[in-house]
Amino acid sequence: MADPTLIERADILLEALPYIRRFAGKTIVIKYGGHAMTDAALKQAFAEDVVLLKAVGINPVVVHGGGPQIDRMLSDLQIPSEFRRGLRVTDAATMRVVEMVLAGQINGEIVTMINQVGGRAVGISGKDGNLIVARRVAPPGAEGDIGQVGEIVGIDPELVASLEQRDFVPVIAPVGASAEGESLNINADTAAGRLAEALRAEKLLLLTDVTGIKDADGNLIATLTASEAERLIASGVVTAGMIPKVECALQALHGGVQKVHVIDGRVRHAVLLELFTDQGVGTELGRDAIAPGKRGGRASTRARSAG
Amino acid sequence: MADPTLIERADILLEALPYIRRFAGKTIVIKYGGHAMTDAALKQAFAEDVVLLKAVGINPVVVHGGGPQIDRMLSDLQIPSEFRRGLRVTDAATMRVVEMVLAGQINGEIVTMINQVGGRAVGISGKDGNLIVARRVAPPGAEGDIGQVGEIVGIDPELVASLEQRDFVPVIAPVGASAEGESLNINADTAAGRLAEALRAEKLLLLTDVTGIKDADGNLIATLTASEAERLIASGVVTAGMIPKVECALQALHGGVQKVHVIDGRVRHAVLLELFTDQGVGTELGRDAIAPGKRGGRASTRARSAG
Amino acid sequence: MADPTLIERADILLEALPYIRRFAGKTIVIKYGGHAMTDAALKQAFAEDVVLLKAVGINPVVVHGGGPQIDRMLSDLQIPSEFRRGLRVTDAATMRVVEMVLAGQINGEIVTMINQVGGRAVGISGKDGNLIVARRVAPPGAEGDIGQVGEIVGIDPELVASLEQRDFVPVIAPVGASAEGESLNINADTAAGRLAEALRAEKLLLLTDVTGIKDADGNLIATLTASEAERLIASGVVTAGMIPKVECALQALHGGVQKVHVIDGRVRHAVLLELFTDQGVGTELGRDAIAPGKRGGRASTRARSAG
Amino acid sequence: MADPTLIERADILLEALPYIRRFAGKTIVIKYGGHAMTDAALKQAFAEDVVLLKAVGINPVVVHGGGPQIDRMLSDLQIPSEFRRGLRVTDAATMRVVEMVLAGQINGEIVTMINQVGGRAVGISGKDGNLIVARRVAPPGAEGDIGQVGEIVGIDPELVASLEQRDFVPVIAPVGASAEGESLNINADTAAGRLAEALRAEKLLLLTDVTGIKDADGNLIATLTASEAERLIASGVVTAGMIPKVECALQALHGGVQKVHVIDGRVRHAVLLELFTDQGVGTELGRDAIAPGKRGGRASTRARSAG
Amino acid sequence: MADPTLIERADILLEALPYIRRFAGKTIVIKYGGHAMTDAALKQAFAEDVVLLKAVGINPVVVHGGGPQIDRMLSDLQIPSEFRRGLRVTDAATMRVVEMVLAGQINGEIVTMINQVGGRAVGISGKDGNLIVARRVAPPGAEGDIGQVGEIVGIDPELVASLEQRDFVPVIAPVGASAEGESLNINADTAAGRLAEALRAEKLLLLTDVTGIKDADGNLIATLTASEAERLIASGVVTAGMIPKVECALQALHGGVQKVHVIDGRVRHAVLLELFTDQGVGTELGRDAIAPGKRGGRASTRARSAG
Amino acid sequence: MADPTLIERADILLEALPYIRRFAGKTIVIKYGGHAMTDAALKQAFAEDVVLLKAVGINPVVVHGGGPQIDRMLSDLQIPSEFRRGLRVTDAATMRVVEMVLAGQINGEIVTMINQVGGRAVGISGKDGNLIVARRVAPPGAEGDIGQVGEIVGIDPELVASLEQRDFVPVIAPVGASAEGESLNINADTAAGRLAEALRAEKLLLLTDVTGIKDADGNLIATLTASEAERLIASGVVTAGMIPKVECALQALHGGVQKVHVIDGRVRHAVLLELFTDQGVGTELGRDAIAPGKRGGRASTRARSAG
């Protein structure tokens, strides 16, 4: 295809204008994971997006996962893994590996990647500055005891807020500490959602490996209210893999986050396109006060067929 | 032509990124005039560009002219006009009209236009806050006396600087006052240049009704150093109408402005395209330290045929 | 008469002391018009008063009218004027003249005058920084349609407040813009009153061409409460020309302005004398909570015969 | 005499204007003593002057003496006094009385007097916040030993500066402490002069019991340069009692104080009249750069016969 | 006894840690008097304690008494003293002496003492900055008239607060002024208590010449609630001399002070030891919400025999 | 031994006073390693010391090593290690382990330890916020190539400085990134030294597993100048293991650090005792301007026999 013309270029910049203005000074928490974190081109594009956001005055906060890398390291160290109801049983040896991989490997890679394209990222974990205080989901020996797997009991956002103010990009490994100082493994989606609440974030973006949320006919849904989303779960339209994402989104909306976006991390520059174009690349969830089928400040309804 | 694809959209936004970052917090003085100030579509596009700049943290300052509108009002009031060496002989009655039209008509229209697309413009003249102190180019009765035509003797940028800090867009009518309080008509290009110096502006943009500066073969020159520009004048390549623009640019560069752009105001969104794309829509003049044929931070040489 | 003695000089300075202290840091909105705006000596004295206020830490805000000058320009341009119920029917051509004269001529003259005696005035209109948002008093074609005559629907005081903070003196032409960007002519008294409310001004001063408000016996009334003023209107003691002034004052008092002064602009330095002497040069209106016949902080009742 | 007319009142206020503006935010150190500190009416007027200065944004700093009161208390306590070359021999018992009277009696009276007319005075001595560090003029037992009489070796103006910033009026008793913590009696004129230097004061005012400095013909001199003053001393025109005042003034001028005024404290509101009228009530000393016979910003030469 | 070992040294520093952290940035008002103000070694130790507090970020405010010194000076001046119900009948001559001794002698000595060990003390009285506004306990001529003895009607803490902010140590003589400017003698304990309330002090420390408050068996009570203290008074366990101290403490607690300590000023470094060791050197009184027998943050109950 | 008496307690607190005051607001960089990082009691004591420093207004910055833990993990992963001239040959697989252990294990443990005793530590590496920019000591393939071992080419202290300002304790893993984003292993002593320079630290503390620096007779040297230290190296008195420590110290002194302390990390609370007692627990190195054998502000010479 031919190069975009001058006027097309201007139009794209101008389309981005109301979004840039609306989000300036706001915090946007991004849960980063899946293909976007393993494919080299997607990684580079993600880092560029993060730096662009900061350049136009938006404060991105990145929370990352790391399941596959943890599996590999456990296997290298010949530490066997057991899962119960989808959660890894995490004994002390396993937790040490989880923390090393998340905080000592993946976190640093993301930081370097962002810094390489001109940003100033700072990698931290939930233990730093008492950011995430957690407790075991079940006490040792109790029923359901799966070791050092934690649920969040408190967030102290001051460290992240002060990094934001100094124009650093916080990159957060989802590891917390208990009141007694025990390291605990935290679900990354949940950590991102709770952080978004505590930071009074404008948006929470969940990068996934699917197109977004689809309706019963398999068409991508552009925008969705909380109660519509609940109905989609109840009616079985939202499929198994997507349910925890949607539940995380609902929890964040109830906790005061303005919008949650479930977006397709396989699209290059997905973050940029979702935030700064009318079209978007996923599904935007908002609270019920917003009329269904309408995206805040956007003219079109964005309902279109997936992919 | 087909819509730009997602990746084209992302690329255009990303191309703009280094420029947005580089100019954030900087002042850009724009001399506004010609077709861009009379054509309805161009006016609207100009106002949108100004608001976009502010939205991404750049401080635009607009200085406008108004020759044709002054002519019309003088004719309506049956006040005859005389020109000497290109300058209007400005007696008291004429000056009253000049000021009324510039400060009371055109200035207010630009302000309204910018505010209509979401900006917060403030119209002032050089008399406000002692912004422009001037003196007659020739004393009354002396040789060359052409009445209330002024040359600038001092700029007090505090008013403009404080409007910038509060995120207003200053729109300036080129009327100054003498130390004795006499209103004086000031050339708008000169006023824009001197303001750019006093404000330590990053850039001065001169909107013209031509494509930019061309070389001996009639090709648009993308970038030019001060001494190259002087050679083009000396060798007669720069034509009569363009000479005052180039001289104004040279003066501003000598006065400390980083870059001066002579751009084609007939292109919609000329300001946006010149600032945020590699390609640009005119000629960029820089100081001699910068190697010829290279545009700061741009890969391409931008030499292309005018057309 | 002999020169005031040293002790008389000291007494006058000391009499001013409590007023200077009480008003320091406060905003005082002055509606400027009538003889005070046409007589050369009165103009000079007015400018000196404004600069003195600023020098002692008070923030004067000037709102001006300009009826006679508009009449003259309309006549010069052979544009006929029609009045309905005291309001000028303002078609597009008339409005253009109104705006040119107010914002492009009178406003600049006042600015220059103040700057000439050492002030730093900045001339703006209600369009600047969205200061005055207005709408037509009657829609086009509707009954009572008199064209571009506006009533105020909103005031955004930020521009004026930020000029004050930087120690500029705002001089305001009473022209507003509608939400659609149409210029509208606003009554200057009303504009001054509404501005005083929005700025939480300490005082509103209305300069008139009469001595002040008189009682049934023709004696000047030194101080007046809102309900006393309403009774004077009801009983027909306040005469036709003064009624709109008093109504403007009552509206401002209800809107939160502490005091409104109707003063004799024909007295040189009327502003200074009204603010800084016990005697004053007009009538001070306050809210009902203040006991009748008592001027805040003044010992005497100030009732004296006019003339 | 008849009351000053309105226009006379306005003129007096306006005459004060340039002085008020010029001195706003500046520090003026006043040495307070003599009749002005004993006569009830003069005391009241002095306190009013101090409060007026503060009200118009000037920072007065008061340094006081107290010789007669000290004499009286020493006599009440039957402690004999001895003087050597004009300086009181100050043994430990005498010093205790000096300090009690200055810091515990006179200082508090001045504070109360100023507070009674609406000021916020704070009484301190040179010991507070290490304001005045001094040493004995002669060591114990050495020739010239007169006990606890000190000369200043250092001024730390921070305490006074921070009181000024919070809009308190510092009232200072001229008692200092040596590095070893010994209380020392300091000459009040000298203390005022050194403080004026350390505070980079605009003016030092010395209240005396005479009309000012007179020339050889007995006429009051309105203004004087440093070298003229030195000539007057050399030629014997300046008489014995005035010599230390003039030397104190010269020292302060050399130390960077802009102007020193030797004024007649017997005139009511002498401070106010000297600062805010063209006429003044004493002699103004300036540095040599200032042309003789001209008072900064004043039209008249002020030479007049002493009355 | 042998020198403390390294580990003992470290333990003492570490024991102080939670106290230093808890009190950082807080105000602690200390009523200074008794032996601690007359014994040379105790004076030196007290000054060192005050400077240490400031060094670790705590804001000490010292209020002092001075009865014995006043007695001596009255006797030197042969002014007879009369007491009624424990209060000195204070005629004008007596009051002059009281003020001279408190503000002109003792206050300066404390200031010098603190400055000698590295502090920056500033001596003021309640008259400065209108800190203490008082009225006579009985009007002149009325029953119970004992002259210039005052009770506090208002505290304006701004002067003290601003001295604290600039890291000066305020040292306050308990002399106030009436609304009419009359000097009044104020009880020092009461002044300290009211100041502690107005400054929202963390603690009020009352230095006494006894071990602290004892129980019926003569054992020192480490901690006490307000109602326990009331019961001890009611049951006659608290003896006569201690009653006014306890009542002062109760009043301060009711007024919002967190803790009041009645400590043994005869112990060297009593202030330091009370604040920074678990053991303490007196009795700590708190509000009823705190469980009896428990000292905030301390492990031990601290009940021990006096002696 | 018996408990320290009250007076001993007070003396220890008072001895600490001048040090607390002198170091308030200053940065102290601590290289943490050796036994102090492996023994449970020493770890706890170290964390308490760090928190105490912060509590009294000092800004500790911790840089840690981790050789033994890295060895263990490499062995667990069966990655063989090779050393050349004391430096580990660091291929990509080894570097990944180095980074995981330093940034993902040890760093987090120190953070948790400090937070457990009341601090607010934040763990970062040299990659965060571009803190440490490094390059390989030898390029790939060149002579001396030992892989990803880096030398520092630049420090950007902003991240650490902003954490300090918000009262976090930075804990730094000595891993840097090259300009191309390659992770590089940095010597921890060197990193601590360079950070101390960049932060204009008051002190650099190197925790070692020896008593300090000894003289030819085996006695501990309390204080040492730079040139004395150079002589001790030249004369062979400083033994092999200590040489790199002393060279690191000399480099830091040349780079502007005030003092470097080589202390015995095997003593509990070594940091506290070195900083806050006259006696200290190691050797203090200062620049040559400081007279030999004298420790700033300490009375004793501190020369004592080791052990």
Side-chain angles (χ1 to χ4, degrees), chain A residues 73 76-77 96 99-101 103-105 107-109 111-112 115-116 119-124 127-130 156 158-159 162-163 165-166 168 177-181, chain F residues 73 76-77 96 99-101 103-105 107-109 111-112 115-116 119-124 127-130 156 158-159 162-163 165-166 168 177-181:
Chain A
M73 181 61 65
D76 287 356
L77 287 163
R96 213 170 303 121
E99 193 169 352
M100 279 200 319
V101 171
Q105 182 187 320
N107 189 274
E109 280 171 24
V111 164
T112 298
N115 291 357
Q116 280 297 106
R120 297 198 312 160
V122 172
I124 55 175
K127 298 161 75 172
D128 292 309
N130 300 317
D156 181 343
E158 190 187 334
L159 171 59
S162 66
L163 290 173
Q165 275 175 30
R166 304 297 285 257
F168 293 105
S178 73
E180 295 75 31
Chain F
M73 181 60 64
D76 286 357
L77 287 163
R96 212 169 305 121
E99 194 169 352
M100 279 200 318
V101 171
Q105 181 186 320
N107 189 274
E109 280 171 23
V111 164
T112 298
N115 291 357
Q116 280 298 105
R120 296 199 312 160
V122 172
I124 55 175
K127 297 161 75 171
D128 292 310
N130 300 317
D156 181 343
E158 191 187 334
L159 172 59
S162 65
L163 290 172
Q165 276 175 30
R166 305 297 284 258
F168 293 106
S178 73
E180 296 75 31

Side-chain angles (χ1 to χ4, degrees), chain D residues 73 76-77 96 99-101 103-105 107-109 111-112 115-116 119-124 127-130 156 158-159 162-163 165-166 168 177-183, chain E residues 73 76-77 96 99-101 103-105 107-109 111-112 115-116 119-124 127-130 156 158-159 162-163 165-166 168 177-183:
Chain D
M73 180 61 65
D76 286 358
L77 287 162
R96 213 169 303 122
E99 194 170 351
M100 279 199 320
V101 171
Q105 181 187 320
N107 190 273
E109 280 171 23
V111 164
T112 298
N115 291 357
Q116 280 298 104
R120 295 199 313 161
V122 172
I124 55 176
K127 297 161 75 171
D128 292 308
N130 299 316
D156 181 343
E158 191 187 333
L159 171 59
S162 65
L163 290 172
Q165 275 175 31
R166 305 297 283 257
F168 293 106
S178 73
E180 295 75 30
E182 187 183 48
S183 291
Chain E
M73 180 61 64
D76 286 357
L77 286 163
R96 212 169 304 120
E99 193 169 353
M100 280 199 319
V101 171
Q105 180 187 321
N107 189 274
E109 280 171 23
V111 164
T112 297
N115 291 357
Q116 279 299 104
R120 296 199 312 160
V122 172
I124 55 176
K127 296 161 76 171
D128 293 309
N130 299 317
D156 181 343
E158 191 187 334
L159 172 59
S162 65
L163 290 172
Q165 276 175 30
R166 305 297 284 259
F168 293 106
S178 73
E180 296 75 32
E182 186 183 49
S183 291

Side-chain angles (χ1 to χ4, degrees), chain B residues 73 76-77 96 99-101 103-105 108-109 111-112 115-116 119-124 127-130 156 158-159 162-163 165-166 168 178-181, chain C residues 73 76-77 96 99-101 103-105 108-109 111-112 115-116 119-124 127-130 156 158-159 162-163 165-166 168 178-181:
Chain B
M73 180 60 65
D76 287 357
L77 287 163
R96 213 168 303 122
E99 194 169 353
M100 279 199 319
V101 172
Q105 182 186 319
E109 281 171 23
V111 165
T112 298
N115 291 357
Q116 279 298 104
R120 297 199 311 161
V122 172
I124 55 176
K127 297 161 76 172
D128 292 309
N130 299 316
D156 181 344
E158 191 187 334
L159 172 59
S162 65
L163 289 172
Q165 276 175 30
R166 304 298 283 257
F168 293 106
S178 73
E180 295 76 30
Chain C
M73 180 60 64
D76 287 357
L77 287 163
R96 212 168 303 122
E99 194 170 352
M100 278 199 319
V101 171
Q105 182 187 319
E109 281 171 23
V111 165
T112 298
N115 291 356
Q116 280 298 105
R120 296 198 314 160
V122 171
I124 55 176
K127 297 162 75 172
D128 293 309
N130 300 316
D156 181 343
E158 191 187 334
L159 172 58
S162 65
L163 290 172
Q165 276 175 29
R166 304 297 285 256
F168 293 106
S178 73
E180 296 75 30

Side-chain angles (χ1 to χ4, degrees), chain F:
Chain F
M1 199 191 83
D3 243 24
T5 61
L6 281 181
I7 196 64
E8 281 172 350
R9 289 172 172 278
D11 284 346
I12 288 163
L13 291 171
L14 285 162
E15 183 183 309
L17 162 63
Y19 300 112
I20 291 175
R21 190 166 46 205
R22 194 186 314 152
F23 304 149
K26 301 286 172 56
T27 294
I28 290 183
V29 174
I30 308 170
K31 159 60 203 311
Y32 179 48
H35 275 95
M37 210 165 89
T38 50
D39 177 86
L42 292 175
K43 282 160 73 172
Q44 164 90 10
F46 174 76
E48 289 171 355
D49 287 4
V50 164
V51 173
L52 176 65
L53 295 196
K54 200 76 196 178
V56 296
I58 298 168
N59 297 315
V61 171
V62 177
V63 179
H64 62 84
Q69 293 87 335
I70 291 167
D71 289 342
R72 203 172 321 124
M73 181 60 64
L74 286 170
S75 142
D76 286 357
L77 287 163
Q78 298 171 324
I79 299 173
S81 263
E82 183 194 345
F83 284 81
R84 291 205 198 121
R85 269 181 290 170
L87 294 172
R88 189 194 306 269
V89 179
T90 308
D91 60 12
T94 303
M95 186 64 217
R96 212 169 305 121
V97 172
V98 165
E99 194 169 352
M100 279 200 318
V101 171
L102 290 177
Q105 181 186 320
I106 297 173
N107 189 274
E109 280 171 23
I110 300 171
V111 164
T112 298
M113 209 166 72
I114 294 173
N115 291 357
Q116 280 298 105
V117 294
R120 296 199 312 160
V122 172
I124 55 175
S125 85
K127 297 161 75 171
D128 292 310
N130 300 317
L131 175 59
I132 300 177
V133 178
R135 67 170 169 226
R136 284 185 175 222
V137 295
E143 199 192 313
D145 174 13
I146 47 170
Q148 289 170 246
V149 175
E151 62 189 15
I152 297 173
V153 295
I155 298 273
D156 181 343
E158 191 187 334
L159 172 59
V160 174
S162 65
L163 290 172
E164 278 188 345
Q165 276 175 30
R166 305 297 284 258
D167 281 337
F168 293 106
V169 175
V171 175
I172 301 166
V175 174
S178 73
E180 296 75 31
E182 186 181 50
S183 290
L184 295 169
N185 190 8
I186 311 284
N187 176 273
D189 288 349
T190 311
R194 293 293 299 278
L195 255 165
E197 293 175 32
L199 290 166
R200 302 169 174 279
E202 181 70 16
K203 286 181 184 298
L204 167 65
L205 265 61
L206 300 171
L207 267 72
T208 66
D209 285 349
V210 296
T211 312
I213 302 174
K214 296 183 190 167
D215 63 19
D217 303 327
N219 292 325
L220 176 66
I221 304 169
T223 67
L224 209 51
T225 67
S227 40
E228 288 172 331
E230 278 157 5
R231 275 195 296 276
L232 287 178
I233 292 178
S235 62
V237 173
V238 167
T239 51
M242 185 56 83
I243 287 177
K245 300 281 174 194
V246 174
E247 284 178 339
C248 170
L250 290 171
Q251 155 77 21
L253 291 174
H254 293 149
V257 177
Q258 294 300 307
K259 291 280 167 60
V260 182
H261 300 243
V262 177
I263 63 174
D264 187 349
R266 299 166 306 176
V267 174
R268 260 167 72 189
H269 300 295
V271 170
L272 202 62
L273 293 165
E274 178 67 12
L275 289 175
F276 293 151
T277 67
D278 292 337
Q279 200 174 351
V281 292
T283 301
E284 179 190 279
L285 292 97
R287 280 181 263 175
D288 286 342
I290 290 139
K294 279 229 180 149
R295 190 152 170 175
R298 301 192 175 179
S300 64
T301 60
R302 287 189 57 196
R304 56 209 142 87
S305 57

Side-chain angles (χ1 to χ4, degrees), chain C residues 19-286:
Chain C
Y19 300 112
I20 291 176
R21 191 165 46 205
R22 193 186 313 152
F23 304 148
K26 300 286 170 58
T27 294
I28 291 182
V29 175
I30 309 169
K31 159 61 204 310
Y32 179 47
H35 275 95
M37 210 165 90
T38 50
D39 177 83
L42 292 175
K43 282 160 73 172
Q44 164 90 10
F46 174 77
E48 288 171 354
D49 287 4
V50 164
V51 173
L52 176 64
L53 295 196
K54 199 78 197 178
V56 297
I58 297 167
N59 297 315
V61 172
V62 178
V63 179
H64 62 84
Q69 293 89 336
I70 292 167
D71 289 342
R72 203 173 321 125
M73 180 60 64
L74 287 170
S75 142
D76 287 357
L77 287 163
Q78 297 171 324
I79 299 174
S81 264
E82 182 194 345
F83 283 80
R84 291 204 199 120
R85 268 182 291 171
L87 294 171
R88 189 194 306 271
V89 179
T90 307
D91 60 12
T94 303
M95 185 64 216
R96 212 168 303 122
V97 172
V98 165
E99 194 170 352
M100 278 199 319
V101 171
L102 289 177
Q105 182 187 319
I106 298 173
N107 189 273
E109 281 171 23
I110 300 171
V111 165
T112 298
M113 209 166 71
I114 293 172
N115 291 356
Q116 280 298 105
V117 294
R120 296 198 314 160
V122 171
I124 55 176
S125 84
K127 297 162 75 172
D128 293 309
N130 300 316
L131 174 59
I132 301 176
V133 178
R135 66 169 170 226
R136 285 186 177 222
V137 295
E143 197 192 313
D145 174 11
I146 48 170
Q148 290 172 245
V149 175
E151 61 189 17
I152 296 173
V153 295
I155 298 271
D156 181 343
E158 191 187 334
L159 172 58
V160 173
S162 65
L163 290 172
E164 279 188 344
Q165 276 175 29
R166 304 297 285 256
D167 280 336
F168 293 106
V169 175
V171 176
I172 301 166
V175 173
S178 73
E180 296 75 30
E182 186 183 49
S183 291
L184 295 169
N185 191 8
I186 310 283
N187 177 272
D189 288 348
T190 311
R194 292 294 299 277
L195 255 164
E197 293 175 31
L199 291 165
R200 303 168 172 278
E202 181 70 16
K203 287 179 184 298
L204 167 65
L205 264 61
L206 301 171
L207 267 71
T208 65
D209 285 349
V210 295
T211 312
I213 303 174
K214 295 183 192 168
D215 63 19
D217 303 328
N219 292 326
L220 176 65
I221 304 170
T223 67
L224 208 53
T225 65
S227 41
E228 287 172 332
E230 278 157 5
R231 275 195 296 276
L232 287 177
I233 292 177
S235 61
V237 173
V238 168
T239 52
M242 184 57 81
I243 288 177
K245 300 281 174 194
V246 175
E247 284 178 340
C248 170
L250 291 171
Q251 156 78 23
L253 292 174
H254 292 150
V257 177
Q258 294 299 310
K259 291 280 167 60
V260 183
H261 301 244
V262 177
I263 63 176
D264 187 349
R266 299 167 307 176
V267 174
R268 261 167 71 190
H269 299 296
V271 170
L272 202 60
L273 293 165
E274 178 67 11
L275 289 175
F276 293 152
T277 66
D278 291 338
Q279 200 173 351
V281 292
T283 302
E284 179 190 280
L285 292 97

Side-chain angles (χ1 to χ4, degrees), chain A residues 87-138:
Chain A
L87 294 171
R88 189 193 306 272
V89 178
T90 307
D91 60 11
T94 302
M95 186 63 217
R96 213 170 303 121
V97 172
V98 166
E99 193 169 352
M100 279 200 319
V101 171
L102 289 176
Q105 182 187 320
I106 297 173
N107 189 274
E109 280 171 24
I110 300 171
V111 164
T112 298
M113 211 165 70
I114 293 172
N115 291 357
Q116 280 297 106
V117 295
R120 297 198 312 160
V122 172
I124 55 175
S125 84
K127 298 161 75 172
D128 292 309
N130 300 317
L131 175 60
I132 300 176
V133 179
R135 68 168 169 227
R136 285 184 176 223
V137 296

